[in-house]
Amino acid sequence: MPFSDRTHAGQELALRLVEWAGTNGPADVLVLALPPGGVPVAAEVARALRAPLDVLAAREISTPIRPETAIGAVVADDPPLYDRRSLAMMHLSEDRLGDVVVGERNELHRLEYLYRGRRPLPSVDGRAVVLVDDGLATGLTTRAALRFLRRHGPARLILAVPVGNPRTVASIRPECDDLMCLEQPRTLHVVGEWYEDFGQVSDTEAARTLHAFHATA
């Protein structure tokens, strides 16, 4: 059954994560959203877990020839993560994408400042980190985010999404310690199919949600 909107999806996801927290008993939980769409979902999760909320910005890498097709992703100052199969099919090499990566990294830094100002990303070392998005389609940005977080030493790394492509879910499961996906419809093509209201969330709207959460936490 589709979710009415991202808030509803976050509430449903939160119910499962509260059960998970009760079973696993993590003492120090940090909820991180992949913005912008993951922010309203993660806000409900963080409220239910009574955990701090922040964002981990990621950007897809595409090409001017096929801007609708993601061939890679970048997080923070980590090296880009590429879909090698897509690179080969498009006869591209990493060195030809240098300018694209620079542009996406600059946009990434702009978004980080919009969301966090000069405040750094909270430390994940030794914490149970729950990474939340509104869905899992190709999984490129999610995989890049999980690998970035893993390198920073979380005690446990959890990916939580309301809906996901089954093949992507299976392929990304080894990147985390726990993976929670409420719905895995066989015919999922785009995440928005599983929401009655999947209106675009602007970066400004997501930043307001984040700031409002911090004001009431």
Side-chain angles (χ1 to χ4, degrees):
M1 174 178 247
F3 303 105
S4 58
D5 56 18
R6 290 179 177 85
T7 297
H8 173 220
Q11 291 166 348
E12 294 296 318
L13 195 58
L15 291 174
R16 290 281 300 277
L17 282 162
V18 167
E19 293 178 6
W20 165 86
T23 301
N24 291 273
D28 188 6
V29 179
L30 171 65
V31 177
L32 292 176
L34 283 171
V39 172
V41 182
E44 299 301 320
V45 170
R47 285 191 188 97
L49 293 177
R50 298 181 181 179
L53 170 67
D54 216 303
V55 294
L56 179 60
R59 293 287 298 176
E60 289 184 344
I61 300 169
S62 58
T63 71
I65 301 171
R66 297 186 64 179
E68 75 286 356
T69 302
I71 58 172
V74 62
V75 175
D77 290 320
D78 272 13
L81 173 68
Y82 288 107
D83 180 339
R84 299 292 171 186
R85 182 179 178 186
S86 294
L87 285 178
M89 289 177 62
M90 298 177 72
H91 305 288
L92 288 171
S93 59
E94 292 184 29
D95 58 347
R96 292 179 60 189
L97 295 168
D99 290 344
V100 176
V101 172
V102 169
E104 293 300 340
R105 207 182 292 278
N106 288 340
E107 177 62 10
L108 189 65
H109 291 157
R110 185 192 72 80
L111 292 174
E112 289 173 338
Y113 186 79
L114 173 67
Y115 283 111
R116 200 179 290 119
R118 299 191 183 280
R119 179 171 53 84
L121 180 72
S123 173
V124 304
D125 185 32
R127 307 175 80 174
V129 179
V130 182
L131 182 67
V132 180
D133 203 356
D134 54 14
L136 192 60
T138 65
L140 263 174
T141 54
T142 304
R143 190 183 303 274
L146 287 169
R147 290 186 180 182
F148 169 83
L149 292 170
R150 179 68 78 189
R151 282 193 287 274
H152 287 76
R156 198 154 192 85
L157 185 55
I158 304 96
L159 174 64
V161 292
V163 59
N165 179 291
R167 293 180 65 180
T168 304
V169 170
S171 70
I172 214 164
R173 192 176 292 276
E175 305 283 354
C176 48
D177 299 307
D178 295 295
L179 194 157
M180 187 169 297
C181 180
L182 302 183
E183 304 288 347
Q184 297 185 50
R186 273 201 253 174
T187 58
L188 181 74
H189 300 295
V190 294
V191 169
E193 294 176 346
W194 212 247
Y195 288 81
E196 293 173 5
D197 177 4
F198 197 66
Q200 184 176 359
V201 178
S202 72
D203 292 306
T204 301
E205 289 170 334
R208 281 200 297 263
T209 298
L210 186 68
H211 298 156
F213 180 92
H214 290 163
T216 57

